[in-house]
Every structure is written in C-alpha cells, then in structure tokens.
C-alpha cells in the first residue's frame, strides 16, 4: 500500500509518517513545509492542499491507495485570528483532495482528521458520534463542513471517506500554546503558572501515540461500519485535575488557576466539553495505552532533556 499523508510535516502527520514507514509502508508526505529526519522510503512533496492539480499528480505518480488528511489550519485560536484563511485551507483544501481522489481512483480509504470541535457544546458526556454536532468555533465549523462534504462525495461519487474525531492530542513537540504544554514548560523551567480562567474546563486529553493507533486502525480496517470515529481516551479531566497530575510529577510547581471555561482567544471561551465515547473505535481494536500521568511525564522528560535546568536557576 502507498499512503499519502497530507500535513505530513505537522505534529500528528510527522509521527504518523514515521510510524507507517516503520511498518514497511510506502509513504508520501504532502505539506507546504518539509520536516526532514525521515526514512528513505518516505517521499516528501511540497505543495499546497488547495492545489488540486498537484494533488492529482501526486496520486497518479505514486499510485496512492490510502490517504490520511491532516493538512489544515488547526485550532480555535488560529481560526479566530484568520477565519477566511482557515475556511480556505480547511474546506477548499479538503474539496480539492476529494475531487482529486475521485478523478484519479484507486484509493480505498480517505481518513479525514476531524475534531471534537465538530460537536460544539457537548450534548452528552461522554459524547457519541451520533450526538448533535453544532460547532460554535470557526475551526469546528470548517471541520464539520468537511465531514458533511466527505459524506456528500461518498454518497454521490463513491469517495471512501471516514472521519476520525480527535480531542486535544498532546505529546512532545506540540506546536501551539495549549494545555497541558504551557504548564509543562513552566514546570520544566521551574516557573509558576497562571491561568485567569479555565479550572472548570473538561477535556479528553489524548496522547499522540494513542491518536496514531486509532488513525491507523480506521485507515487499515478491512470494512468500516461508520463514517465517523471518536479517537480519544473515553475519560475527561478538568484543569484542576490536570494541575494535580502535574503537581504529582513536579511537587514544587505552582499554578494560580481561575474558574470557568478556558479562553481560546480574547473573549472566546472554549465550548463545554467532556469525554468522547470510544466504543466504535474499540470495536476496531483501539485501546488507549498512555494514561495522562504517563503522557505528562514523557513530555516533561523531553523538555528537560532538551533544556536541562542549571542548578539554582529557579526564580
Ligand atoms: N492536535 C490536535 O489536538 C488535534 C485535535 C483534533 C483534530 N486535529 C486535526 O488533526 C490534523 C493535524 O493536526 P496537527 O495537530 O498535526 O496540526 P499541525 O498544525 O501540526 O499540522 C498541520 C499541517 O498542515 C500543514 N498545512 C497547513 N496549511 C497547509 C496548506 N495550505 N497546504 C499544505 N499543508 C498545509 C502545516 O504545514 C502542518 O504541517 C488537523 O486536521 C487537525 O484539525 C488535531
């Protein structure tokens, strides 16, 4: 099989490309950036996800049989800061990909990395894939639009589409300022943290290796009974519980934490969230393996290995 990973230079795409290469698959990474440190069996293609002709060329040239679509403007914060760009890249980019796949043929699955943001304020906790999806952020609206367009292309043109709804995936090298990372960076540097509001926010944090396990199961399953799969842990914590987990690992770390939901952008509160029901993914063989305490410890170890604290440098 030859897997095309769009967004292959990103936080999720890069380790996914590496994992696939390690499994002996031929991989094409398509991104507007290059990342390097990839095995020779991986081809890196630089391109824009909205460039349908280039996508078509890549699909034909490499005989792509599976696609994992991870190229996007990611996160509520980025989508609020640049709404037209988020709509263009996320929606037009997905349509360019769907059109190219339908034109070229030969692809047996397209796995679209979607988000818990499609649910908006969670109507249930845990939330199931068939619960109401009423996204409230521009990011969630683009992700849900792509899911609906994926379903349209599947019904009308036979696109082999499936969505994986991920939730706050975390791990070493996470590229944005979103919890738990700022707190772990502070803890690793011996600094205290402060968050004016957010103590009541509940999140189903998913370690990156688990997310990749789930994505691969959906990509490689012989048959799929559904178009959407939650891939998370099935368990949410609020930010006070998250802080308590970090304190267990670094007892000297302190956080001044206000109540309420997290603010994703100035004046933009996060949607009410909770756990994701992962029954469907479990039926494919998915089991989240990295508990929050272990995932946090791995990131702290990574941060401290890269920036060792000199003794006595704590403020
Ligand atoms: N990380 C999470 O917590 C999370 C949660 C839910 C869903 N997702 C989804 O997973 C996917 C990957 O997220 P990530 O965390 O790896 O984000 P990321 O920002 O690290 O990766 C996205 C990649 O897309 C590329 N990209 C952006 N615009 C492009 C364009 N116009 N053309 C080509 N490439 C472009 C970027 O260069 C980047 O490498 C996204 O679809 C995101 O919505 C992520």
């Amino acid at each position: 099989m030859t897997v095309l990973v769009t967004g292959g230079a990103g936080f999720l795409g890069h380790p996914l490309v590496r994992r696939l290469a390690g499994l002996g698959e031929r991989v094409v990474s398509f991104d507007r950036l290059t990342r390097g440190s990839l095995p020779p069996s991986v081809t890196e293609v630089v391109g824009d996800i909205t460039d349908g002709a280039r996508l078509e060329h890549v699909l034909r040239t490499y005989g792509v049989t599976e696609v994992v679509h991870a190229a996007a403007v990611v996160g509520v914060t980025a989508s609020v800061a640049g709404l037209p760009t988020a709509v263009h890249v996320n929606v037009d980019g997905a349509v360019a990909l769907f059109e190219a796949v339908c034109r070229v043929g030969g692809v047996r699955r397209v796995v679209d990395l979607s988000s818990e943001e499609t649910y908006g304020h969670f109507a249930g906790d845990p939330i199931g894939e068939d619960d109401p999806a009423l996204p409230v952020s521009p990011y969630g609206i683009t992700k849900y639009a792509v899911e609906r367009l994926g379903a349209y292309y599947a019904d009308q043109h036979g696109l082999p589409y499936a969505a994986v709804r991920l939730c706050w995936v975390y791990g070493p090298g996470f590229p944005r300022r979103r919890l738990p990372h700022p707190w772990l960076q502070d803890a690793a540097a011996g600094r205290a943290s402060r968050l004016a509001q957010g103590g009541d926010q509940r999140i189903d944090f998913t370690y990156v290796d688990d997310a990749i396990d789930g994505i691969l199961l959906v990509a490689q399953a012989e048959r799929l009974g559904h178009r959407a799969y939650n891939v998370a842990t099935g368990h949410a914590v609020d930010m006070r519980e998250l802080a308590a987990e970090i304190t267990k690992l670094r007892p000297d770390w302190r956080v001044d934490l206000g109540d309420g939901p997290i603010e994703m952008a100035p004046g933009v509160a996060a949607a009410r969230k909770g756990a994701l029901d992962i029954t469907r993914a479990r039926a494919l063989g998915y089991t989240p393996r990295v508990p929050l305490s272990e995932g946090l410890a791995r990131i702290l170890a990574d941060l401290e290995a890269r920036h060792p604290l000199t003794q006595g440098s704590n403020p």
Side-chain angles (χ1 to χ4, degrees), residues 10-12 31 48-49 70 74 113-114 139 143 169 176 178:
F11 169 67
L12 276 160
D31 201 296
D48 195 292
I49 194 64
V74 181
L113 301 195
S114 189
Y139 172 62
K143 300 306 277 187
V169 183
R176 297 173 284 280
R178 189 184 71 190

Side-chain angles (χ1 to χ4, degrees), residues 26-48:
R26 287 185 300 275
V27 191
V28 181
S29 166
F30 183 98
D31 201 296
R32 58 185 180 150
L33 308 171
T34 52
R35 184 75 182 253
S37 32
L38 289 168
S41 62
V42 177
T43 306
E44 275 194 293
V45 175
V46 175
D48 195 292

Side-chain angles (χ1 to χ4, degrees), residues 2-6 27-31 43-47 51-65 67 97 100 104:
T2 301
V3 188
L4 169 65
V5 179
T6 74
V27 191
V28 181
S29 166
F30 183 98
D31 201 296
T43 306
E44 275 194 293
V45 175
V46 175
D51 183 347
R54 187 144 177 80
L55 288 166
E56 205 174 313
H57 174 75
V58 167
L59 291 166
R60 283 192 206 285
T61 304
Y62 299 100
V64 171
T65 52
V67 178
L97 176 67
V104 174

